[in-house]
Amino acid sequence: MKITTGITDLALTLNGETVSVFHAALLADEDGLTLVDTGLPGMYGQLEQHIRQAGLAPESIKRILLTHQDADHIGTLPDVLERLPHVEVWAHGDERPYLEGEKPLIKLQPGQLEKMPPERREPMQQMLSSLVPGLVTRVLEHGEQLPLQGGLRVLHTPGHTPGHISLYVPDEKLLIAGDALRIADGELALSEPRFTLNMDQAAASLNQLLELDIERVLCYHGGLFEGDVRGGLQKIAKRSFTGVDKE
């Protein structure tokens, strides 16, 4: 689904089930395509299909911009890099040690693989084997403006993971939130507590968003939110202050 002229929500699904949808974003600029997050291992075919359906060519991908290290965001890295070895990988410096194999992924420890059925374990192992030194070709910093979509701003929004980032598109008043926000029961909510390292930090990270002119939010889990963004953020802040979202 096209969100703006240059931004498409790829809406990847797990086994065709619309209950589990992963809203990776595709940015189209003059120099080519930027993929923001990549879905789970095994989703490359679907990723390629959605890109073609948007009237674009997967071969035009120039870079992958990762909001953070979780498997549902980096899963198709091996497939993309195998087919397009020239593709750059951009991520925040605090995620780099995990993405380059220096440290194990925080939420996917090696022992967990042994408990997975072979059809899940093998793609995960392939993904982990792609996390090698030099993988991250550009380290992103908070506040940095990227030459994409008229000036894409990097926002360090830690809490879900140490180096989690969100992306703000001022020209479109759009926030690509990654997992900093999700949609629950039609409302904006903090990232899922079960999968968030530090809920206090996650809540604090959202304070900076109140300073921005945001009309729409693309959440990796939940899709596009087009309601009262400021009111939603203020409600989250109030709930976090009273401890509701920490339980």
Side-chain angles (χ1 to χ4, degrees):
M1 177 185 76
K2 273 195 172 295
I3 298 175
T4 73
T5 302
I7 302 177
T8 301
D9 172 7
L10 295 178
L12 306 169
T13 60
L14 183 61
N15 299 324
E17 299 176 5
T18 55
V19 174
S20 299
V21 184
F22 305 86
H23 295 271
L26 187 70
L27 314 181
D29 288 279
E30 289 184 2
D31 74 331
L33 304 179
T34 301
L35 184 60
V36 181
D37 295 328
T38 75
L40 282 164
M43 286 186 169
Y44 180 79
Q46 188 180 164
L47 187 71
E48 187 176 80
Q49 180 183 13
H50 286 359
I51 293 173
R52 294 194 188 282
Q53 286 175 344
L56 301 167
E59 298 79 15
S60 297
I61 297 175
K62 299 296 184 184
R63 63 195 66 85
I64 299 173
L65 204 164
L66 298 173
T67 60
H68 63 294
Q69 62 181 273
D70 288 352
D72 58 336
H73 292 254
I74 69 171
T76 68
L77 270 176
D79 301 287
V80 177
L81 295 176
E82 179 182 354
R83 291 164 174 80
L84 304 170
H86 65 277
V87 166
E88 298 182 6
V89 178
W90 296 3
H92 191 273
D94 290 347
E95 296 293 277
R96 188 175 193 172
Y98 303 96
L99 294 171
E100 295 192 343
E102 181 181 334
K103 296 180 180 180
L105 297 181
I106 294 173
K107 302 169 197 172
L108 184 62
Q109 300 298 316
Q112 293 178 258
L113 293 177
E114 300 173 2
K115 302 175 184 179
M116 294 181 182
E119 63 272 15
R120 286 190 57 205
R121 183 173 64 247
E122 291 173 9
M124 285 288 184
Q125 288 174 327
Q126 183 185 14
M127 179 194 74
L128 292 174
S129 69
S130 71
L131 305 181
V132 297
L135 175 70
V136 177
T137 55
R138 178 167 176 171
V139 175
L140 303 176
E141 298 181 359
H142 175 71
E144 183 175 0
Q145 184 169 298
L146 304 177
L148 304 170
Q149 299 301 301
L152 189 72
R153 192 184 308 173
V154 177
L155 304 174
H156 185 208
T157 48
H160 187 69
T161 65
H164 187 285
I165 58 172
S166 301
L167 305 166
Y168 177 53
V169 190
D171 288 354
E172 301 292 347
K173 300 181 180 181
L174 171 71
L175 180 75
I176 300 175
D179 281 359
L181 290 164
R182 61 190 168 101
I183 299 177
D185 298 323
E187 294 187 352
L188 285 176
L190 271 178
S191 54
E192 174 62 54
R194 292 177 299 162
F195 306 118
T196 299
L197 296 182
N198 188 322
M199 290 299 293
D200 288 330
Q201 190 178 43
S205 290
L206 300 187
N207 290 333
Q208 62 186 299
L209 303 183
L210 289 169
E211 302 174 3
L212 303 175
D213 186 6
I214 304 173
E215 294 184 351
R216 296 184 293 172
V217 181
L218 180 63
C219 302
Y220 198 72
H221 301 287
L224 189 64
F225 181 85
E226 299 183 277
D228 180 8
V229 175
R230 178 172 293 275
L233 292 173
Q234 290 173 334
K235 187 179 294 186
I236 290 171
K238 183 178 180 180
R239 287 177 176 173
S240 300
F241 181 76
T242 58
V244 173
D245 280 337
K246 298 177 188 178
E247 297 177 0

